[in-house]
Amino acid sequence: MVQAWYMDESDEDQRKEHRLDPNQPVSPEELQALGVNSYKLDADNYESDPELAKIRQDHNYTFTDIITIHKDTLPNYEQKLKIFYEEHLHLDDEIRYILEGSGYFDVRDKQDRWIRIAMQKGDMITLPAGIYHRFTLDENNYVKAMRLFVGEPVWTPYNRPADDFEARTKYLQLLELKA
Ligand SMILES: CSCCC(=O)/C(O)=C/O
Ligand SMILES: [Fe+2]
């Protein structure tokens, strides 16, 4: 299960844990109530993993590619990291599966507080369309992740405020239904 916790408000390095003191953990059930789902998979055998194949089939994730985020391999590394860490939403679900390395996805809860989700090798996460979120590497400065999508991928981030999109309105309705 992914580990998650409420963040402090310090401006220190984004790659640090930023836990509250005392720590305030967030359970997988609390994440699910925000529409965020996670799976633990066998990242060493992702090419032949029947569990991954079933998830892809069940959700119609027809597209996959792999992104490696490291200063020596990713073109425009610093600029991309900045874009990933700007608070944004997408008009489609964001699905990521960590094959190597680690990083943090931060999502907003219903009270607009940041929750930090620690993603490690074998963790898959689905963020619903319309949820405000961001991504950062952690202090290991390396992640290799599979990106999954239904159909032709669209990665466009819409930075906050992006409240007028239908995806945002629908997400807020989803939250109401789950309450
Ligand atoms: C671990 S994949 C990089 C982050 C990303 O693709 C994204 O869209 C963050 O919101
Ligand atoms: Fe995103």
Side-chain angles (χ1 to χ4, degrees):
M1 278 302 147
V2 286
Q3 301 293 309
W5 55 85
Y6 278 102
M7 293 184 73
D8 66 22
E9 290 187 358
S10 122
D11 289 334
E12 230 192 319
D13 185 351
Q14 69 191 50
R15 294 172 168 82
K16 291 189 179 289
E17 287 193 334
H18 287 276
R19 290 178 193 266
L20 292 171
D21 184 15
N23 185 43
Q24 202 178 326
V26 177
S27 67
E29 293 73 25
E30 288 171 291
L31 292 177
Q32 275 166 22
L34 298 174
V36 175
N37 295 304
S38 60
Y39 308 82
K40 191 80 186 176
L41 298 173
D42 178 7
D44 286 326
N45 297 300
Y46 71 90
E47 280 160 312
S48 57
D49 180 12
E51 237 185 302
L52 174 62
K54 180 165 175 11
I55 292 170
R56 287 189 59 186
Q57 190 163 28
D58 288 352
H59 297 273
N60 197 26
Y61 297 148
T62 47
F63 175 92
T64 66
D65 72 0
I66 290 177
I67 181 169
T68 302
I69 305 178
H70 183 271
K71 65 174 171 39
D72 298 337
T73 57
L74 186 68
N76 303 317
Y77 169 80
E78 291 295 346
Q79 189 195 349
K80 296 251 174 67
L81 285 184
K82 240 174 138 180
I83 291 170
F84 292 149
Y85 203 61
E86 277 288 321
E87 182 172 3
H88 65 272
L89 58 73
H90 303 280
L91 307 187
D92 304 280
D93 292 359
E94 176 163 330
I95 306 113
R96 299 290 185 269
Y97 174 23
I98 307 299
L99 302 176
E100 291 175 12
S102 50
Y104 298 123
F105 275 101
D106 300 335
V107 298
R108 291 284 191 184
D109 79 351
K110 290 180 192 170
Q111 284 80 41
D112 222 23
R113 294 176 296 179
W114 280 120
I115 294 171
R116 176 149 279 194
I117 304 168
M119 298 288 296
Q120 302 197 323
K121 181 176 174 177
D123 292 329
M124 177 187 276
I125 196 167
T126 68
L127 305 180
I131 191 172
Y132 282 123
H133 69 279
R134 63 191 180 189
F135 173 82
T136 180
L137 290 175
D138 61 18
E139 290 179 286
N140 294 314
N141 291 314
Y142 171 66
V143 78
K144 177 178 169 184
M146 181 183 290
R147 306 190 293 185
L148 301 96
F149 203 86
V150 179
E152 272 306 296
V154 180
W155 309 126
T156 314
Y158 294 95
N159 290 345
R160 193 171 182 174
D163 298 327
D164 292 338
F165 287 104
E166 191 185 6
R168 180 65 187 167
T169 319
K170 281 196 171 161
Y171 175 65
L172 294 176
Q173 285 167 358
L174 176 86
L175 287 186
E176 291 300 315
L177 286 175
K178 285 177 173 282

